[in-house]
Amino acid sequence: MPTHRLKPSKALALSSVEGLIAGTQTHFPDDKVTLGSTKYTTASLVQRFQRLADAINSLNAAQAAAADALTALLAVHADVGPLMKAYKRFVLAVFFDSTQTLADFRLTPPKVPAPRTAEQQAVAAAKLRATRKARGTTSRKQKLAIKGDVTGIVIEPITTAAPERTPT
């Protein structure tokens, strides 16, 4: 038997609080209730329970508003995002050599790759040849030189006349 309790959903918690409010107002209309060593009037109990119900409803409204705001954001981003990306590319192309101007746009110039050393180029070429050999890839001219060799095919002539087509 588990020793922890599962948290109820907000809908279940709200329903429970509303049920306590309705039951308290029905069965203890003007009574006082002692819980532990504290005495509560029906009105004070209902007031406290109603605060909890209001807080849950407020949270639900805020979450619905946040979901609506997120939907609106995604719609605007889908509309403006490609334009913004194109504009950034334009600004980078126009001011590629002016770091200060790009900083005004809060952009940084693209990094220029460092030139490869002769050793790095040799390693890259060796990797390329090894990969092509392992995959069996060839150049375009080598592919054109490869022809299939078919043997054992028997071709039989058609002895019946084909049906005539009528022009439509």
Side-chain angles (χ1 to χ4, degrees):
M1 185 169 182
T3 58
H4 65 281
R5 292 181 172 227
L6 297 176
K7 291 183 180 180
S9 67
K10 288 183 299 178
L12 184 60
L14 182 60
S15 174
S16 176
V17 170
E18 288 172 344
L20 287 174
I21 292 171
T24 301
Q25 289 173 334
T26 302
H27 296 288
F28 300 106
D30 292 321
D31 291 342
K32 292 185 179 179
V33 178
T34 303
L35 300 173
S37 61
T38 308
K39 291 186 179 186
Y40 297 96
T41 62
T42 299
S44 68
L45 282 174
V46 168
Q47 182 182 13
R48 285 183 153 190
F49 295 155
Q50 190 59 51
R51 281 183 35 219
L52 178 58
D54 292 344
I56 293 171
N57 285 326
S58 174
L59 176 63
N60 285 340
Q63 287 176 334
D68 292 343
L70 178 61
T71 301
L73 170 68
L74 293 176
V76 170
H77 188 270
D79 180 43
V80 177
L83 174 65
M84 194 167 103
K85 188 175 183 179
Y87 185 66
K88 281 182 181 180
R89 286 181 181 162
F90 168 76
V91 169
L92 285 170
V94 171
F95 300 111
F96 68 95
D97 59 349
S98 177
T99 307
Q100 184 56 45
T101 305
L102 287 176
D104 293 342
F105 289 96
R106 294 191 182 148
L107 296 174
T108 57
K111 292 184 180 180
V112 178
R116 288 183 170 182
T117 65
E119 183 179 323
Q120 290 171 329
Q121 289 177 353
V123 168
K127 283 184 181 180
L128 174 85
R129 285 190 295 277
T131 301
R132 288 180 69 100
K133 185 176 179 183
R135 291 182 181 166
T137 55
T138 58
S139 69
R140 184 171 183 227
K141 287 184 180 180
Q142 288 172 330
K143 286 181 187 176
L144 291 174
I146 298 171
K147 302 291 181 199
D149 199 11
V150 180
T151 59
I153 301 276
V154 177
I155 300 174
E156 294 183 24
I158 301 174
T159 55
T160 60
E164 290 186 28
R165 293 187 183 176
T166 57
T168 55

